[in-house]
Amino acid sequence: MFLAVAMDASGIPAAKPHYADAKATYVTLVDPQNALSDALGFKVIPNGFLIDEAGVLQFMQVGGFDVKRQRSMTAVEDFLARAPVKAGAPAPKAPSDSERISQLKKTLSGEPGNAEAKLQLGKVYLRQGKPDAAMPLLKDAAASMAKSPEAQFALGSCLLAKGDKKAGVAQLRKALKLDSKNYVIRKQIWLVEHPEKFHPEIDWGWQREQLRKELAAEGGGG
Amino acid sequence: MRRATAGAGDGSPLHEGRAQGTPIRSGAVDCGMTPLLALTAVLASGPIEVGQMVPDVTLTDMDGKAVRLSEFRGKKVILFTWASW
């Protein structure tokens, strides 16, 4: 089973044309809120995660995963050749959206100031395409969790979803300042600010120069 | 999908990385990275390790429907992350 996940803050509209161009016959997903990068801890792409039948991670390549490369292909071939893993005890499953919303609302009814609950509820609404419902929750969460790149990124994504590019980028920059090595955030800012450098072709020379400039400005060297 | 891998060999720290896991054959982890790339790879490492259960993350399909990774249990999964940028 091949799953492709687009890490695009702009969501389905950004990813869909590329899946169409690729005539994708595999499972095509999108992760506009970086839920996967938060859960697995990656800050660059492209990545490959090989997960067995029991849901256990058997191999990962963070950065540079490309099935056209021998290194990546060898890992995939070896993984697929392995004997199937027998199912063990059922692994815990995440609650459905409706269960999650119900849980988080219950938490917030008892603890109206619970910023983490607001953040998570806002992210569920945002993923469901309800930025208006998400906005007040994410604003509160970002204000209460000023040191959380996740909270700042979520609010930035919500602002972008509502079409407020200027405020959205400013918020993404707050997230990047808190997590300056996070290229998933950094490059999404570039895409919003300089779409012409990404469509119809990616300007890799521009990206290298932009990265050099930004790292120098941040005092991180190049 | 072309964009997801384009430029992977250009030496950019944005596209190099590290490998971890048993299926890979010898020499795969030593991928000849420069110190800068190696540093980037270390910084890119996250909390999950090979051998751990993958969290049941909820994603979205192209129709806007929520999809949980747990829905694919019982199958070998090759999870590939990319972006249009």
Side-chain angles (χ1 to χ4, degrees), chain A residues 50 53 73-84, chain B residues 23 25 76:
Chain A
L50 308 185
E53 294 87 340
M73 180 54 77
T74 299
V76 171
E77 288 174 345
D78 287 356
F79 173 67
L80 293 176
R82 285 182 163 193
Chain B
R25 289 172 188 145
K76 281 190 168 78

Side-chain angles (χ1 to χ4, degrees), chain A residues 138-159:
Chain A
L138 295 178
K139 272 187 176 176
D140 281 0
S144 299
M145 304 166 75
K147 300 289 185 188
S148 164
E150 180 187 359
Q152 306 310 319
F153 184 86
L155 178 56
S157 298
C158 192
L159 289 161

Side-chain angles (χ1 to χ4, degrees), chain A residues 180-181 183 186 210-222, chain B residues 13 36:
Chain A
S180 63
K181 302 298 182 187
Y183 292 97
R186 187 183 296 275
Q210 185 70 8
L211 179 62
R212 187 194 64 75
K213 285 180 186 173
E214 292 189 7
L215 291 179
E218 293 162 14
Chain B
L36 173 59

Side-chain angles (χ1 to χ4, degrees), chain A residues 1 3 5 7-8 18 26 30 45 49 51 53 55 57 60 62 64 69 78-79 82 94 183 198 200 204, chain B residues 1 3 6 8 14-15 17-18 20 22-23 25 51-52 54 56 60 68 74 76-80 82 84-85:
Chain A
M1 174 70 62
L3 308 186
V5 183
M7 308 299 299
D8 271 282
H18 298 285
Y26 38 80
V30 64
I45 59 162
F49 299 91
I51 304 164
E53 294 87 340
L57 183 66
M60 64 178 174
V62 176
R69 283 179 155 183
D78 287 356
F79 173 67
R82 285 182 163 193
Y183 292 97
F198 295 84
W204 295 104
Chain B
M1 297 310 296
R3 292 164 191 268
L14 303 180
H15 293 86
R18 68 174 186 131
Q20 183 188 97
T22 50
R25 289 172 188 145
Q52 292 181 333
V54 174
D56 190 13
T60 306
R68 290 183 289 180
K76 281 190 168 78
V77 171
I78 302 163
L79 176 61
F80 174 62
W82 67 286
S84 65
W85 31 265

Side-chain angles (χ1 to χ4, degrees), chain A residues 2-108:
Chain A
F2 187 85
L3 308 186
V5 183
M7 308 299 299
D8 271 282
S10 301
I12 295 171
K16 203 166 190 172
H18 298 285
Y19 284 134
D21 286 349
K23 297 181 173 60
T25 56
Y26 38 80
V27 179
T28 54
L29 305 170
V30 64
D31 182 12
Q33 295 166 49
N34 291 348
L36 201 56
S37 59
D38 287 343
L40 303 184
F42 61 84
K43 299 181 181 183
V44 296
I45 59 162
N47 309 315
F49 299 91
L50 308 185
I51 304 164
D52 71 18
E53 294 87 340
V56 174
L57 183 66
Q58 293 297 336
F59 172 84
M60 64 178 174
Q61 184 174 333
V62 176
F65 185 82
D66 181 350
V67 291
K68 293 194 292 289
R69 283 179 155 183
Q70 188 59 45
R71 176 164 60 122
S72 302
M73 180 54 77
T74 299
V76 171
E77 288 174 345
D78 287 356
F79 173 67
L80 293 176
R82 285 182 163 193
V85 173
K86 289 180 183 174
K93 291 186 178 181
S96 66
D97 277 0
S98 58
E99 290 169 335
R100 187 80 174 130
I101 289 170
S102 177
Q103 287 171 355
L104 290 165
K105 281 185 172 177
K106 188 176 175 185
T107 299
L108 285 170

Side-chain angles (χ1 to χ4, degrees), chain A residues 128-140:
Chain A
Q128 290 184 326
K130 301 173 182 172
D132 289 333
M135 183 61 80
L137 294 159
L138 295 178
K139 272 187 176 176
D140 281 0

